[in-house]
Amino acid sequence: MATRKNSTDDPLAPLTLAVGQEDLLLDRAVQQVVAAARAADADTDVRDLASDQLQPGTLAELTSPSLFAERKVVIVRNAQDLSADTIKDVKAYLGAPVEEITLVLLHAGGAKGKGLLDAARKAGAREVACPKTTKPAERLSFVRSEFRTHGRSATPEACQALVDSIGSDLRELASAVSQLIADVEGTIDEAVVGRYYTGRAEASSFTVADRAVEGRAAEALEALRWSLSTGVPPVLITSALAQGVRAIGKLSSARGGRPADLARELGMPPWKIDRVRQQMRGWTPDGVAVALRAVAAADAGVKGGGDDPEYALEKAVVVVARAARAGR
């Protein structure tokens, strides 16, 4: 989980500084501030800006006094990429923050934009560390923390099995933990994780994903129908599809090298590098983008955004399989 580096633990502090490159933790830092602000005032105005949207003078406009004295949260993403003139504006604001306004700066934490980082810390910012998890032990610690946060117990073997099955994506690990605690009562053990994430190959969500990203639509649909008929939760299938497409996108944009080197760079086990290389034939960057959008739509559909989860999954499988063949 994200950890706070100073004693200030008030999400409504005038300035929150979220530092790091782990997207899930950065988003959670933002969500915590927004939730606290809306708990204090349901009409809180939230402005979520990319660095290129914060031009010189924009911050002054956003933080100018309101006739209604409304609470406001201003979020600036990738603050390290702000222009020099905009950084001057932010530094000036840090010296005289406006009451009822919470400024949230998301900063990658490197050398770029370090002056702003130092200024925010000097101004007494509430800091949330959001480091990229690069080691298996860190991902294992994250999974254990997720279970504890939800007040649930999971055996060490179950946590390890989940990391081994899901991989390095914290969003997918968090989603898997949420699914398990929603579906399973009592302590979650390795057998439970096995039922969800391995099980019979023909009924596995990963088999559906593998056949789809290989462009084998008919086999993917057959595996999908079998999976659903044997009780595999639809959300696990969309998660597996997302993992499969993202793996192809990551590997296709990575530098060449040995599987072991790529495994370290991308956070995948070496055996998966070899498998994804075989699955990549026929994929294009546009195909990856189209497939990810289709999987996101299916995920929303199976989580209540649509009337027919099975149809949403079938549609996503067909789109992914078609994208896998687009470049052939």
Side-chain angles (χ1 to χ4, degrees):
M1 288 182 61
T3 55
R4 293 169 185 81
K5 295 177 66 176
N6 64 17
S7 58
T8 303
D9 197 26
D10 181 9
L12 296 182
L15 174 63
T16 286
L17 181 63
V19 184
Q21 299 178 45
E22 184 54 66
D23 290 341
L24 173 66
L25 301 184
L26 291 168
D27 285 346
R28 285 184 173 181
V30 170
Q31 290 163 7
Q32 184 185 34
V33 172
V34 172
R38 286 184 168 154
D41 181 355
D43 295 324
T44 294
D45 182 16
V46 177
R47 303 296 180 91
D48 195 334
L49 307 173
S51 57
D52 59 358
Q53 293 177 293
L54 196 70
Q55 299 297 319
T58 304
L59 185 61
E61 294 176 11
L62 292 173
T63 57
S64 59
S66 167
L67 292 175
F68 304 102
E70 64 183 355
R71 182 176 293 279
K72 185 178 292 186
V73 175
V74 178
I75 303 151
V76 181
R77 298 181 183 270
N78 296 312
Q80 73 278 357
D81 295 330
L82 292 171
S83 68
D85 288 338
T86 303
I87 287 176
K88 290 180 183 178
D89 286 353
V90 176
K91 287 182 177 179
Y93 175 81
L94 296 180
V98 179
E99 190 176 355
E100 299 297 307
I101 292 179
T102 298
L103 178 63
V104 183
L105 298 178
L106 276 59
H107 194 292
K112 187 177 183 181
K114 189 174 183 300
L116 177 59
L117 195 62
D118 292 341
R121 286 168 171 161
K122 186 175 180 180
R126 166 183 175 266
E127 186 168 343
V128 183
C130 306
K132 197 76 175 175
T133 56
T134 59
K135 299 177 181 179
E138 294 171 343
R139 294 190 283 275
L140 184 59
S141 177
F142 171 80
V143 168
R144 290 171 174 165
S145 177
E146 287 291 288
F147 281 116
R148 286 196 300 270
T149 298
H150 289 287
R152 294 295 300 275
S153 297
T155 66
E157 294 80 9
C159 294
Q160 185 64 61
L162 201 57
V163 172
D164 292 342
S165 298
I166 300 299
S168 61
D169 192 307
L170 289 199
R171 288 189 190 279
E172 292 170 0
L173 285 168
S175 176
V177 169
S178 296
Q179 186 64 43
L180 287 169
I181 64 176
D183 289 357
V184 180
E185 295 182 357
T187 299
I188 294 166
D189 58 21
E190 188 176 9
V192 170
V193 175
R195 286 202 303 272
Y196 271 75
Y197 292 97
T198 53
R200 295 175 59 191
E202 66 269 30
S204 167
S205 55
F206 291 105
T207 299
V208 179
D210 284 342
R211 298 298 84 79
V213 300
E214 290 162 4
R216 296 153 66 179
E219 294 176 43
L221 288 171
E222 181 181 1
L224 171 64
R225 289 162 190 151
W226 185 263
S227 295
L228 294 174
S229 71
T230 55
V232 175
V235 69
L236 297 187
I237 298 174
T238 56
S239 176
L241 284 167
Q243 288 181 62
V245 177
R246 286 175 187 157
I248 287 170
K250 288 179 180 179
L251 190 55
S252 63
S253 61
R255 301 186 302 272
R258 298 178 305 164
D261 296 331
L262 288 170
R264 284 191 294 271
E265 179 183 344
L266 302 178
M268 299 180 191
W271 63 263
K272 190 169 184 179
I273 297 291
D274 292 332
R275 176 184 291 179
V276 176
R277 274 178 168 165
Q278 295 172 2
Q279 295 172 335
M280 281 172 53
R281 290 175 297 177
W283 281 93
T284 66
D286 287 343
V288 171
V290 168
L292 286 175
R293 286 196 294 269
V295 174
D299 190 57
V302 303
K303 291 178 178 176
D307 297 328
D308 190 341
E310 184 172 338
Y311 172 74
L313 284 169
E314 288 182 356
K315 184 177 179 181
V317 165
V318 169
V319 172
V320 171
R322 187 181 298 136
R325 304 182 64 85
R328 295 183 183 178

